[in-house]
Amino acid sequence: MIVKSTTDKISVVLLVDDQPMVVEAIRRMLVNEKDIIFHSCSDSSKAIQTAISVRPTIILQDLIMPGDDGYALIRKYRQIEQLENVPVIILSTKEDPHDKSLAFERGASDYLVKLPDKIELIARIRAHTKNYLIQCERDAAFEELGHLQKQLEISNAELQKLTCQDGLTGIANRRRFDTFIRKECLRSFREKNPISLLLIDIDYFKNYNDNYGHLRGDDCICRVAKCLQQAVHRPADLVARYGGEEFSVVLPNTDIDGATKIATQLQKVVNEMRIPHEFSPVSDCVTISMGIACRVASELASPDDLIEMADRALYQAKNSGRNRHIISDLCLEPA
């Protein structure tokens, strides 16, 4: 659809009529009107093609023609996207109420007996054109509004993704972690299912950063993050960067045995990467330490309690020689 501004008020008229005398008479009526452009078509089989080509703002349609009559052509106009809303004025040789009723029923916008009065014809052409152009502008505005709304939704989704994604590693960030663990603790409380949390620390990362440089340090963090993300397979679980060289893994509906198995697997895959770390007292490659917490959430057990349990267990793992995981001794206590 080509939208013309209503301020231009240019009427593009297409007359579909097989009588040369009628075509010439109407052409003369309109020839001196600067705001009206006139086109004609005498062959009903070419009316559709001509209309699509000239893009009329109004069609003057002869009712009786060889081939498709006016009724059939109106029906065809209404089936084509470019023409479905273009106003059609039926031109007939007689003032027949039945013909009028049928014309409006088939989708005509107006009905005139030919040859119509010049002043009346021009007035109707301008009135129908104005209404049509207003409708086109309104439809275009709604279409653009829909497009903008869709773009806004996409932008908001991207923004939401960015606000929940760690800029260095691409995994979930601390903000996403905080939201997720709160939601899953509430679910644990409602459904009375256990929730587990792993807090992970890259062993002797300061030594790594100080000796290999910050670029290598960032690369190490990214490689460990990717490794952890790939090793945690369930869509319901969350791997997040907790801060600096620390990571967290939230495991909804997972008991202590399940959490321990995952912790063992995570240590294994990180060790298998064989990232050199000659400045680590526990290994010649990068290793991780983990604290494991698990409980069924209750009104008295907030996400902070679960985090504190895992954090204390991580502290014990680091004080016990690192490159290991420790289960919080509170896991066996009632929530």
Side-chain angles (χ1 to χ4, degrees), residues 3-23:
V3 180
K4 303 174 177 66
S5 172
T6 55
T7 58
D8 296 334
K9 297 181 182 178
I10 299 297
S11 300
V12 181
V13 177
L14 173 61
L15 171 62
V16 181
D17 197 306
D18 64 322
Q19 298 178 1
M21 290 182 61
V22 173
V23 173

Side-chain angles (χ1 to χ4, degrees), residues 3 131-144:
V3 180
N131 290 335
Y132 171 66
L133 294 180
I134 290 173
Q135 180 182 354
C136 289
E137 289 186 339
R138 182 196 62 198
D139 293 345
F142 275 116
E143 184 177 350
E144 179 64 16

Side-chain angles (χ1 to χ4, degrees), residues 1 60 113 190 201 235 247 249 254 260 284 300 303 312 332:
M1 178 188 296
L60 305 180
V113 175
R190 288 196 309 268
D201 186 78
F247 302 91
V249 180
T254 302
T260 303
D284 59 354
L300 302 178
R312 287 182 178 180
L332 302 180

Side-chain angles (χ1 to χ4, degrees), residues 171 293 324:
I171 65 174
R324 68 193 62 208

